[in-house]
Amino acid sequence: MSETLARIDPPFVVTDLLKRCMGNVAFLKRTLTKFQTRGMLDVDGLQRAISDGNHAEATRLAHSIKGIAANLSASRMYAVAGEIENFGRADRIDAATGMIDSLRAEVSRCVAFVPVAIAQFSDPVAEVTCAR
Amino acid sequence: MRALIVDDDEFSLDMLQNAMDALGYDVMTARNGREALQCVRDHPVRLVITDWEMPEMAGDEFCRQVRREDVDGYVYVIILTGRDHPEQKIIGLEAGADDLLTKPFNPAELTVRLKVAERILALETRDVALFALAKLAESRDPETGAHLERVQSYARLLTQTLATRPRYGRLITNEYVRLIYQTSPLHDIGKVGIPDAILLKPGKLDAEEFAIMKTHTALGAATLSAALDRFPSAGFLQLGRDIALTHHERFNGQGYPRGLAGENIPLCGRIVAVADVYDALTSKRVYKEAIPHPEARQIILSESGEHFDPEVVAAFVASEGEFLKIYARLANEAEEHPARLASKRKVA
């Protein structure tokens, strides 16, 4: 584990993600880069759906964000997205309005951590070692 | 092995696809149940891993549809679910799923569950062996063509149609439908014990010959009973034995070998009776020409409550369009479609 990681409270568990990527570092990097691009857009979409009172879309997006969090092993992001999803399923999506900021903060923390997570695998030797 | 993975979320789909690629599967993907169903229809897919919550068609409904589909071979379905409640598992398994996995997947668990799936799919060789056995029996009578394939499809269709009626909803499970499909080809297996001079006689059988011919039901049942004695828990053998023994019984008690009547005849026997007779009527044989569907339909209807169980006849009427489709798909090259035969006769 690098010094940088030791200083930061990691918002997701890179080792879990690597296992879920079947040890494929190149795939892990692609996945995290995709999340970096998409993470905040999903939160924006969720916020819009809540404002529009679109329960179905808000529930779907919260479920999707929860799924991403589960794959990343991002426990806090998972918990907040899960609560919003539960409000949506209970037809009480308005009650989730106040939680959007918490979700945004968590997703933001995860997105900011992506370069740190990827940096662990910048050494080609380490990449080969981790991949197998 | 080809595997289909289904998820509306791109991120989850990519993760699972990467895992399945790494495990050596030939992976196809779909974004919802409807797309997945089309894939199953168009490609020989043996294994499906599907998300539960998806737009258009959810994972549980996809399972139900797959079990209703007329696909070759068994499709093993694993549902991925984010909700780890026992109720959820019951719904999934009742819908026809073979296994459920909690999201996000654990790679080690996924790997062992897939090994289980492959082990179960390997059991399908049992079904192949059953069908080969039935085909071997049928091979002595080459003019019957694709009779077994049609009878098993007709029998499954009748069973599925009956399952939609309240009375049979609980009795007819997905497993029962599957077993009917697998074991109905065994209905005439006892014909291996009938001499060629009788089995292949082009004309009408005399009374003595017919008495010998009738023993094929008991002969088939005895063969399967012997296997059942050795493997008592093999439910498919029990159903196969019941079908072989009772498919010539008549609802009015005038059939053979035991003269059983009404619901004393096992449901499987009552179903295969209609499937077998419809196919015999609409197929060409050494001793007769094929007859068109409307005439065959009329004969089946006129025998409701006599030869056939009225509820099975009602299921036949409700699904006759599908009967014609099965016939068209599995028609022998030498035979004509019963609907075409009907129009030919009209012209003549």
Side-chain angles (χ1 to χ4, degrees):
Chain A
M1 196 67 50
S2 71
E3 275 181 41
T4 326
L5 275 179
R7 286 199 305 272
I8 299 173
D9 170 24
F12 59 86
V13 185
V14 184
T15 48
D16 278 6
L17 178 62
L18 183 60
K19 273 188 203 158
R20 213 162 278 128
C21 292
M22 309 302 275
N24 182 338
V25 173
F27 178 74
L28 176 142
K29 287 180 176 177
R30 276 202 306 277
T31 301
L32 284 176
T33 307
K34 210 181 275 181
F35 166 67
Q36 215 174 4
T37 315
R38 167 186 165 172
M40 296 311 285
L41 292 176
D42 282 351
V43 179
D44 291 342
L46 175 60
Q47 185 162 24
R48 254 196 318 277
I50 293 175
S51 308
D52 296 347
N54 187 343
H55 285 234
E57 179 65 0
T59 309
R60 189 190 70 75
L61 279 169
H63 177 72
S64 169
I65 295 169
K66 188 181 84 172
I68 294 170
N71 276 303
L72 294 175
S73 292
S75 55
R76 279 190 237 165
M77 177 177 155
Y78 179 87
V80 183
E83 276 189 65
I84 298 175
E85 183 191 359
N86 288 341
F87 278 123
R89 289 196 191 287
D91 270 343
R92 294 177 53 219
I93 200 70
D94 297 348
T97 311
M99 303 178 76
I100 279 289
D101 287 344
S102 309
L103 182 65
R104 191 178 290 282
E106 268 315 307
V107 174
S108 174
R109 222 159 63 84
C110 289
V111 169
F113 186 69
V114 166
V116 181
I118 287 178
Q120 289 179 78
F121 305 104
S122 56
D123 174 1
V125 176
E127 189 162 321
V128 171
T129 317
C130 288
R132 296 286 168 252
Chain B
M1 182 187 291
R2 177 173 284 162
L4 170 65
I5 55 178
V6 195
D7 203 313
D8 60 314
D9 184 71
E10 193 190 343
F11 196 91
S12 300
L13 195 68
D14 284 351
M15 294 292 294
L16 191 55
Q17 181 168 13
N18 175 66
M20 297 293 283
D21 280 340
L23 292 169
Y25 288 89
D26 171 15
V27 182
M28 296 174 70
T29 60
R31 302 304 292 264
N32 58 57
R34 202 168 302 285
E35 255 185 58
L37 200 58
Q38 201 53 51
C39 280
V40 169
R41 284 174 185 148
D42 296 344
H43 306 277
V45 173
R46 306 289 312 278
L47 174 67
V48 180
I49 303 181
T50 177
D51 186 24
W52 189 300
E53 289 167 43
M54 294 180 292
E56 295 202 40
M57 188 188 287
D60 57 334
E61 183 53 25
F62 165 73
C63 269
R64 286 186 200 96
Q65 296 278 351
V66 165
R67 297 301 174 228
R68 280 197 282 267
E69 284 289 310
D70 187 15
V71 290
D72 286 335
Y74 188 71
V75 181
Y76 191 94
V77 182
I78 300 174
I79 300 188
L80 278 170
T81 172
R83 284 183 271 171
D84 193 18
H85 301 307
E87 295 81 9
Q88 190 89 349
K89 289 179 184 162
I90 291 165
I91 295 169
L93 293 170
E94 279 190 342
D98 296 286
D99 200 358
L100 284 96
L101 265 177
T102 310
K103 279 175 96 172
F105 67 89
N106 171 303
E109 187 185 7
L110 177 70
T111 306
V112 294
R113 301 277 190 155
L114 289 170
K115 279 188 184 153
V116 171
E118 290 191 12
R119 210 159 53 224
I120 300 287
L121 286 169
L123 289 176
E124 203 171 29
T125 49
R126 176 195 80 188
D127 306 336
V128 174
L130 276 181
F131 196 79
L133 194 66
K135 269 291 189 196
L136 185 64
E138 193 194 38
S139 68
R140 295 186 55 226
D141 188 0
E143 288 210 48
T144 52
H147 171 68
L148 293 183
E149 289 88 338
R150 286 192 301 267
V151 167
Q152 73 177 164
S153 291
Y154 294 148
R156 176 168 62 184
L157 175 60
L158 288 169
T159 312
Q160 287 171 328
T161 309
L162 281 171
T164 62
R165 286 153 204 255
R167 182 157 177 235
Y168 292 98
R170 286 203 167 272
L171 181 70
I172 299 177
T173 58
N174 284 331
E175 176 66 2
Y176 188 85
V177 173
R178 198 168 65 81
L179 286 178
I180 282 273
Y181 183 76
Q182 286 166 351
T183 57
S184 52
L186 296 172
H187 64 280
D188 275 342
I189 195 168
K191 283 186 177 172
V192 288
I194 304 299
D196 280 355
I198 295 171
L199 188 67
L200 304 178
K201 184 176 174 179
K204 200 170 159 44
L205 299 179
D206 64 32
E208 193 184 339
E209 289 165 338
F210 189 53
I212 292 170
M213 180 61 116
K214 287 200 291 191
T215 62
H216 82 273
T217 53
L219 282 171
T223 305
L224 295 168
S225 283
L228 197 56
D229 286 344
R230 185 144 165 72
F231 301 101
S233 60
F236 66 96
L237 284 177
Q238 194 175 333
L239 204 69
R241 179 200 59 193
D242 288 350
I243 289 171
L245 187 64
T246 64
H247 72 286
H248 283 293
E249 296 288 1
R250 293 179 177 229
F251 201 70
N252 61 10
Q254 302 297 305
Y256 64 88
R258 292 154 75 185
L260 298 176
E263 295 191 0
N264 286 327
I265 307 166
L267 178 61
C268 56
R270 284 177 272 145
I271 290 170
V272 173
V274 172
D276 186 33
V277 169
Y278 176 80
D279 192 63
L281 290 170
T282 55
S283 303
K284 187 179 172 187
R285 296 283 167 86
V286 279
Y287 50 87
K288 68 165 202 64
E289 289 300 316
I291 68 165
H293 171 76
E295 283 177 42
R297 178 189 198 273
Q298 197 46 49
I299 292 170
I300 301 273
L301 282 181
S302 69
E303 290 293 332
S304 178
E306 297 297 327
H307 189 149
F308 305 120
D309 177 347
E311 296 216 45
V312 182
V313 173
F316 165 74
V317 172
S319 57
E320 65 180 311
E322 293 299 312
F323 264 75
L324 287 168
K325 282 186 197 162
I326 291 168
Y327 189 94
R329 187 164 55 81
L330 297 171
N332 298 333
E333 282 180 14
E335 288 174 357
E336 293 227 40
H337 190 286
R340 276 203 300 276
L341 268 175
S343 54
K344 260 189 181 178
R345 284 200 181 179
K346 273 183 199 156
V347 172

